């Protein structure tokens, strides 16, 4: 077996065999960049090393042959006192593990060759400097001598000569230092390794060993680098070039574009008269690359030219190490740069425009998470204190505000212009006005799909939920964590990216959306076979969604419209109405209000479809709580003045109570047994549509019926409610509009009978929150607190199916349903509007499960951009 390859004979694409570092060197050599010549020992040799516990037979012979070829090319000889070749022995696995493994520089030095080096670089000082570096590096890495031993001597010498920085040590001092180092060798291991070939063999052995050093192992575990990704290190042997030869020499690092802004400029630093890691070690202050343009314009031009060549070739921004020896440029390393989200988007767009990337490549290069991260303010990590508590990062964004413990106070404080964070044990639909008033939400209970989390995401407010260390005490208006007590009005900061909660105000940085953000998403849309719609309930949400590129509304929940200020009372009277006439006349009061809401939102979404879901939740959610009523009624009785109204309300609440309301009297069941609400809604919707149409505006109404389990439910509602109401409305207003009728697919039975359902509707949309609940028989309001975390910990589920669609069950059922539906009605419009519609991972899963069976994904406004990208990527 062949264990070594010269830089000009290896195949740079075989990264697993050569490791990342050597494959980069080989690639640069092939492209004609100036790379000091060298050879690579493959990862296969390292594997063999670990199998046999020794260097593979024949390896050193191969290395010797290779070294002779390097000698020929460089015109110097390894171990030659007159004109010595020196090399570095460098680690490098298939994936970059920065700083985790070892590298030895200046190998081949001893008391004789150091003289030849001094002649070659024309500086005794620089040669001695290289020698002392070699002795300490080799001693530490190869012989295991403690680093402090060398540092002590170094500091002693520096003190003796009164210098602060290493390069200032005079020649005399360096000579003394070298003698001290040799004494350390003698004392600690008993010998010196003066023979360059022996040095080389031991260094190779040590680099192989560094693959299994505790820090390297830990790094691989932490970053999930499994053997199929990287399973041993290669070793690169590279002839040394000297950035410390004189003041026209330097060592440097650069990114081929700015890694945080993406700006197309060389970005990095260099340090004259320096070697190796000096630039990043912070010993001396390096200079920005822009300075090199003034100092050495020809070198700069060359650096620029080759950097661009590398980018074009790798189709990726590069992170480069270089050295200048006496005015000549050498490349020592290149790898793909790690960049922040803004830079990823900008560079994708720029490289596409420059013709470096195709449209598809540009779209695939950015991750949907990058897009999400760009949208929210961030904690200024550098200046952040220690967090007070930690919960689940359930809605991204970082914000500071004053704590309030109930939604009414949130509204009150906000009216006074205060920024508040609503802190609750958990939240419920009645608290939603508090969400709108608050800048962020914090709860001590609940999971990623708890009410607080879902609503916060839907309206784009940062939230941390389930911060269990926090004890909420509503009666004292305070919360405690350990010994700390925070009271109403105190400042806190929550970070919805990390789940951290901080006491006090912690600085955040606002995201600025660059032009490229929008350009890039348009580019993504241009390859996408899907549209992205938004889940939006208000005109504000709708316009945000539209700004973010939503192609319509996929779910407009109408419940809010009944909870709006001033309407809840009216709606309660409707629910409590004793006669049909009373109810009808009360509803007539409500309709114009609803119509106004629909007009606004249809107006904002002009030209795009708006899918309006008819009333869905159980009615008792709109009435006061049972406990409250009982105590009020009893108190009144005790006072001897029974409250007739309250008693009636209590009776009604009792009558509406259900053991299991989420599976009870709601959705279409309510529409059938209590049709007046649906009638009122349909009338308000169509009146709004007609009125806009009369103004010449383009409205696309889609009416969606929830909770259908049996196709005949649709027949009933359509023929008894929707059709007659539409006819009446159109007749009364003297004009009609086109509209579609569809259903939400959220019961298992609707999915199993999707063909029957499809025949009766124009569109269907999977409500995957309820569908997931139904498929698992997991109550989505309870799972998070009770058992989900245990399930995930035990690996019984790979992830929370309420966050990411269940590939094995729910997605499979959807696939079946879509096939049934399309067989019955080929062109039926099918979408998804559950939380999963805005989750890039779910989009990916659905992409492979149902492909183009779906027409669109619907996501909450702030998740629309990431969903656009995810959908584009599954289209390719
Ligand atoms: P790491 O993986 O920790 O970056 P490297 O193998 O890249 O380790 O080397 C450490 C430092 O030494 C880098 O700054 C590199 O540029 C420099 N270096 C490595 N080989 C040579 C060489 N042959 N000549 C000059 N400098 C070198
Ligand atoms: Mg390096
Ligand atoms: Mg539902």
């Amino acid at each position: 077996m062949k264990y070594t390859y010269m830089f000009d004979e290896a195949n740079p694409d075989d990264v697993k065999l050569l490791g990342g570092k050597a494959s980069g060197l080989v690639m640069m050599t092939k492209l004609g960049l100036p790379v000091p010549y060298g050879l690579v020992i493959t990862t296969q040799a390292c594997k063999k090393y670990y199998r046999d516990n020794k260097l593979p037979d024949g390896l050193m012979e191969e290395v010797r042959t290779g070294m002779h070829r390097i000698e020929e090319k460089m015109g110097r000889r390894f171990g030659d006192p007159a004109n010595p070749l020196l090399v570095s022995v460098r680690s490098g696995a298939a994936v970059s593990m920065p700083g985790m493994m070892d590298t030895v520089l200046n190998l081949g030095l001893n008391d004789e060759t150091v003289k030849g080096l001094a002649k070659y670089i024309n500086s005794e000082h620089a040669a001695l400097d290289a020698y002392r570096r070699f002795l300490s590096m080799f001693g530490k890495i190869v012989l295991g001598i403690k680093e402090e031993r060398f540092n002590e001597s170094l500091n002693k010498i520096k003190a003796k000569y009164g210098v602060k920085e290493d390069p200032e040590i005079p020649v005399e001092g360096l000579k003394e230092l070298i003698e001290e180092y040799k004494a350390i060798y003698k004392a600690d291991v008993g010998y010196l390794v003066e023979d360059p070939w022996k040095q080389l063999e031991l260094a190779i052995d040590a680099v192989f060993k560094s693959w299994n050093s505790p820090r390297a192992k830990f790094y691989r575990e932490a970053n999930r680098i499994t053997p199929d990704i990287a399973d041993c290190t290669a070793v690169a042997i590279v002839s040394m070039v000297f950035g410390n030869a004189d003041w026209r020499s330097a060592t440097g690092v650069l990114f081929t574009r700015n890694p945080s802004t993406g700006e197309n400029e060389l970005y990095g630093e260099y340090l004259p008269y320096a070697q190796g890691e000096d630039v990043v070690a912070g010993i001396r202050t390096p200079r920005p690359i822009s300075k090199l343009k003034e100092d050495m314009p020809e070198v700069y031009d060359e650096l620029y030219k080759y950097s661009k060549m590398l980018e074009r070739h790798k189709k990726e921004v590069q992170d480069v190490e270089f050295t200048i020896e006496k005015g000549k440029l050498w490349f020592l390393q290149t790898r793909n740069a790690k960049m922040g989200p803004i830079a990823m988007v900008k560079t994708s767009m720029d490289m596409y425009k420059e013709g470096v990337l195709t449209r598809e490549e540009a779209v695939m290069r950015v991750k949907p998470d990058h897009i999400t991260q760009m949208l929210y303010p961030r904690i200024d990590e550098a200046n952040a204190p220690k967090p007070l508590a930690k919960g689940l990062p359930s809605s991204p964004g970082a914000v500071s505000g004053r704590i309030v413990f109930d939604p009414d106070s949130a509204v009150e404080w906000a009216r006074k212009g205060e920024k508040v964070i609503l802190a609750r044990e958990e939240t419920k639909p009645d608290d939603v006005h508090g969400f709108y008033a608050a800048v962020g939400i914090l709860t001590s209970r609940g999971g990623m799909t708890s009410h607080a989390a879902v609503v916060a995401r839907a309206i784009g407010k940062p939230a941390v939920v389930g911060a269990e260390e926090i004890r909420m005490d509503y009666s004292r208006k305070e919360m405690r964590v350990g010994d700390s007590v925070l009271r109403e009005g105190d400042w806190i900061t929550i970070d919805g990216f990390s789940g951290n909660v901080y006491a006090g105000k912690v600085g955040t940085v606002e995201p600025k959306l660059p032009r490229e953000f929008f350009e890039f998403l348009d580019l993504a849309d241009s390859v996408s076979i899907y549209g992205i719609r938004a889940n939006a309930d208000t005109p504000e949400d709708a316009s945000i969604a539209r700004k973010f590129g939503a192609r319509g509304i996929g779910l407009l929940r109408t419940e809010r419209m009944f909870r709006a200020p001033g309407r809840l009372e009216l709606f309660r009277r409707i629910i409590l109405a004793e006669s049909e006439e009373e109810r009808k006349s009360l509803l007539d009061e409500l309709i114009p209000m609803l119509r106004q809401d629909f007009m606004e939102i249809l107006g904002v979404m002009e030209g795009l479809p708006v899918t309006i879901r008819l009333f869905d939740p159980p009615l008792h959610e709109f009435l006061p709580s049972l406990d409250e009523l009982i105590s009020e009624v009893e108190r009144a009785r005790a006072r001897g003045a029974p409250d007739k109204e309250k008693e009636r309300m209590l009776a009604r609440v009792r009558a509406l109570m259900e053991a299991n309301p989420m599976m009870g009297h709601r959705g279409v069941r309510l529409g059938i047994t209590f049709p007046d609400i649906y009638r009122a809604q349909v009338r308000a919707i169509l009146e709004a549509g007609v009125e806009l149409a009369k103004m010449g505006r383009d409205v696309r109404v889609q009416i969606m019926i929830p909770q259908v389990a049996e196709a005949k439910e649709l027949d009933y509602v359509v023929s008894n409610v929707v059709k007659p109401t539409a006819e009446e409305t159109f007749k009364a207003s003297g004009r009609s509009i086109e509209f579609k009728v569809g259903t939400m697919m959220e019961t298992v039975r609707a999915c199993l009978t999707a063909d029957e359902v499809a025949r009766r509707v124009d569109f269907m949309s999977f409500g995957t929150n309820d569908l997931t609940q139904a498929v698992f028989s997991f109550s989505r309001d309870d799972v998070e607190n009770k058992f989900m975390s245990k399930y995930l910990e035990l690996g019984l589920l790979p992830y929370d199916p309420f966050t990411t669609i269940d590939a094995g069950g729910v997605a499979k059922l959807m696939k079946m349903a879509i096939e049934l539906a399309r067989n019955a009605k080929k062109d039926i419009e099918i979408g998804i509007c559950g939380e999963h519609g805005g989750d890039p991972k779910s989009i990916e899963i659905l992409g492979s499960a149902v492909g183009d069976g779906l027409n669109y994904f619907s996501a909450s406004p702030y998740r629309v951009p990431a969903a656009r990208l995810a959908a584009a990527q599954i289209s390719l």
Side-chain angles (χ1 to χ4, degrees), residues 591-662:
I591 287 171
M593 302 179 192
L594 302 180
R595 181 176 61 220
Q596 187 54 35
D597 287 354
F598 288 124
M599 278 189 71
E600 281 176 36
I601 206 159
L602 286 168
V604 172
M605 276 289 155
E606 176 161 16
L608 298 172
V610 175
T611 311
I612 302 165
R613 180 181 69 186
L614 298 183
F615 197 88
D616 184 43
L619 284 179
H620 74 84
E621 277 188 15
F622 292 78
L623 296 176
S625 90
L626 185 66
D627 293 346
E628 250 168 63
L629 277 174
I630 290 176
S631 69
E632 279 174 38
V633 162
E634 274 169 7
R635 249 180 284 138
R637 278 191 194 155
R639 279 198 307 270
D643 182 334
K644 277 269 149 350
E645 187 63 20
K646 285 264 150 65
E647 302 216 355
R648 208 160 65 93
M649 180 99 78
L650 176 61
R652 191 74 181 126
V653 169
R654 282 220 166 95
L656 287 171
M657 282 284 290
E658 293 174 282
N660 201 345
M662 292 311 279

Side-chain angles (χ1 to χ4, degrees), residues 290 391 439 450:
S290 52
V439 294
S450 61

Side-chain angles (χ1 to χ4, degrees), residues 125-306:
H125 187 270
L128 291 172
D129 187 57
Y131 193 18
R132 63 99 189 165
R133 288 173 193 259
F134 166 71
L135 285 173
S136 58
M137 248 187 187
F138 188 87
K140 174 185 152 207
I141 290 166
V142 180
L143 301 177
I145 299 170
K146 288 228 164 1
E147 193 174 11
E148 301 88 76
R149 302 272 286 139
F150 298 113
N151 288 341
E152 277 163 23
S153 296
L154 180 63
N155 291 333
K156 212 171 75 190
I157 296 287
K158 275 167 47 179
K160 178 171 171 191
Y161 286 88
V163 302
K164 281 223 323 264
E165 297 189 337
D166 299 358
E168 294 165 5
I169 305 172
V171 165
E172 289 317 304
L174 288 172
K175 284 183 175 160
E176 275 175 55
L177 187 58
I178 287 163
E179 289 313 312
E180 291 231 1
Y181 279 6
K182 287 198 225 160
I184 293 174
Y185 272 61
K186 294 253 166 66
D188 288 19
V189 295
Y191 57 87
L192 289 167
V193 185
E194 292 176 303
D195 173 12
W197 292 103
K198 193 69 202 166
Q199 289 175 359
L200 185 59
E201 186 174 338
L202 290 175
I204 292 168
D205 191 284
V207 171
F208 279 163
K209 273 209 181 76
S210 72
W211 168 255
N212 260 351
S213 68
R215 69 192 154 125
K217 278 175 145 169
F218 175 81
Y219 184 88
R220 287 200 294 277
E221 256 162 49
N223 292 281
R224 301 213 181 80
I225 301 174
T226 48
D228 55 307
I229 302 173
D231 64 354
C232 237
T233 185
V235 181
I237 300 179
V238 188
S239 23
M240 284 301 298
V241 288
F242 298 94
N244 55 342
D246 59 16
W247 286 100
R248 293 196 62 242
S249 303
T251 178
V253 291
L254 68 82
F255 289 92
T256 56
R257 293 174 199 236
N258 185 311
S260 60
T261 65
E263 209 57 52
N264 187 2
E265 61 189 7
L266 295 189
Y267 180 90
E269 292 170 324
Y270 72 106
L271 193 59
Y273 213 125
Q275 189 178 48
E277 253 66 288
D278 290 359
V279 194
V280 281
I283 326 177
R284 286 153 58 204
T285 312
R287 302 175 183 176
I289 289 291
S290 52
K291 187 81 173 44
L292 187 66
K293 200 171 179 173
E294 299 162 24
D295 288 357
M296 302 176 132
E298 328 74 57
V299 175
Y300 180 88
D301 288 347
E302 217 184 339
L303 202 51
Y304 188 84
K305 178 183 83 184
Y306 287 131

